[in-house]
């Protein structure tokens, strides 16, 4: 059978593999990124109403400065980021189910002063009326060279999961550097923006109907069984 490969950073990769196992999908983890903190200085807490979190990494890599905002509720992109916020002693104001823009769009009408803790590469957002957002970069997903075991696997053909546009570009770059024939590799992307970043020439390339791991894995099952 065609190998199924997840290349996201280690903690997220482990979560994807665990969910895949519950769905009887055999996925190999080959993380091509490491998560590293970045120094940051946030605005005075009294100037904010809440935190906006698009990844559990934003909570886990924010460091000691996060304590300055411990009394601010969190608008989280999903269950994983909400769980990280709770583990850090923060309260949850809302949890999204379809991307960070959906979290913003679901805010009640009125003024909201938000601090967005994010990675160096982050999705641009459209601010609804009355919403202000202060952005602080607190971590980066640093690309790593492709290990030899993954090179060997990809040369024989594989189905690769992509969770970010950055991952799509890095995979394409590494395949080009190592002269890996991408016409033997199929792509399952978490969303259309990620799919667009993969470029052309892959055996197959499809996007999940919703930006959620379960929807992505359902797509993977369909592609794997074709």
């Amino acid at each position: 059978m065609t190998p199924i490969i997840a290349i996201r950073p280690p903690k997220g990769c482990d979560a994807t593999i665990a969910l895949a196992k519950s769905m009887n999908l055999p996925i190999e983890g080959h993380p091509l990124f490491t998560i590293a903190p970045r120094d940051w200085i946030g605005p005075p807490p009294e100037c904010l109403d809440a935190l906006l979190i698009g990844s559990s990494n934003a909570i886990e890599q924010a460091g000691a400065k996060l304590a300055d905002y411990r009394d601010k509720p969190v608008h989280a992109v999903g269950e994983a980021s909400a769980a990280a916020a709770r583990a850090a002693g923060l309260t949850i104001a809302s949890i999204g189910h379809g991307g960070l823009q959906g979290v913003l769009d679901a805010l009640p009408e009125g003024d909201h002063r938000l601090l967005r803790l994010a990675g160096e590469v982050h999705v641009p957002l459209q601010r609804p009326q009355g919403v202000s957002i202060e952005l602080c970069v607190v971590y980066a997903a640093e690309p790593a060279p492709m290990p030899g075991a993954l090179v060997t696997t990809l040369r024989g053909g594989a189905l690769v999961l992509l969770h970010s546009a950055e991952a799509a570009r890095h995979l394409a770059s590494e395949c080009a550097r190592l002269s890996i024939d991408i016409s033997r590799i199929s792509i399952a992307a978490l969303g259309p923006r990620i799919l667009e970043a993969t470029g052309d020439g892959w055996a197959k390339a499809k996007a999940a109907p919703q930006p959620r791991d379960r929807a992505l894995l359902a797509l993977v099952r369909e592609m794997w069984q074709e």
Side-chain angles (χ1 to χ4, degrees):
M1 298 292 286
T2 301
I4 307 173
I5 309 295
I7 63 170
R8 65 190 305 199
K11 184 176 180 180
C13 198
D14 289 345
T16 294
I17 291 171
L19 180 58
K21 185 177 180 180
S22 73
M23 299 171 65
N24 294 317
L25 280 172
I27 291 185
E28 301 175 22
H30 293 275
L32 289 186
F33 294 87
T34 57
I35 300 298
R38 291 290 185 263
D39 290 334
W40 62 287
I41 298 176
E46 60 269 21
C47 297
L48 301 168
D49 299 313
L51 304 182
L52 182 64
I53 304 298
S55 167
S56 59
N57 292 318
I59 294 291
E60 293 161 357
Q61 301 298 322
K65 293 175 185 173
L66 184 64
D68 294 342
Y69 306 97
R70 58 183 174 273
D71 64 339
K72 304 300 177 183
V74 171
H75 298 287
V77 72
E79 294 292 345
S81 53
R86 291 190 190 98
L90 302 172
T91 59
I92 305 301
S94 68
I95 302 175
H97 300 284
L100 206 54
Q101 186 65 53
V103 174
L104 280 182
D105 294 341
L107 292 174
E109 290 187 10
D111 295 334
H112 299 271
R113 301 171 300 170
L114 306 179
L115 172 60
R116 180 184 182 187
L117 303 181
E120 282 186 347
V121 178
H122 48 270
V123 176
L125 299 172
Q126 298 295 320
R127 293 185 293 109
Q129 186 173 357
V131 175
S132 63
I133 302 176
E134 183 86 15
L135 173 67
C136 284
V137 171
V138 301
Y139 75 93
E142 298 179 343
M146 189 179 293
L150 180 55
V151 174
T152 299
T153 297
L154 294 183
R155 290 195 194 283
L159 171 55
V160 180
L161 285 69
L162 295 178
H163 285 79
S164 70
E166 187 179 14
R169 290 187 286 267
H170 183 47
L171 175 66
S173 175
E174 283 293 276
C175 286
R177 180 179 71 86
L178 296 164
S179 299
I180 297 172
D181 181 6
I182 65 172
S183 70
R184 297 177 62 86
I185 301 171
S186 294
I187 297 298
L190 190 63
R193 183 182 64 86
I194 299 170
L195 184 63
E196 184 178 353
T198 63
D200 300 322
W202 307 91
K204 296 177 184 177
K206 297 182 180 181
Q210 298 173 319
R212 300 171 66 180
D213 233 15
R214 189 171 292 277
L216 177 61
L217 290 172
L219 172 64
V220 166
R221 184 191 300 281
E222 292 176 7
M223 295 178 68
W224 192 53
Q225 292 176 342
E226 287 178 353

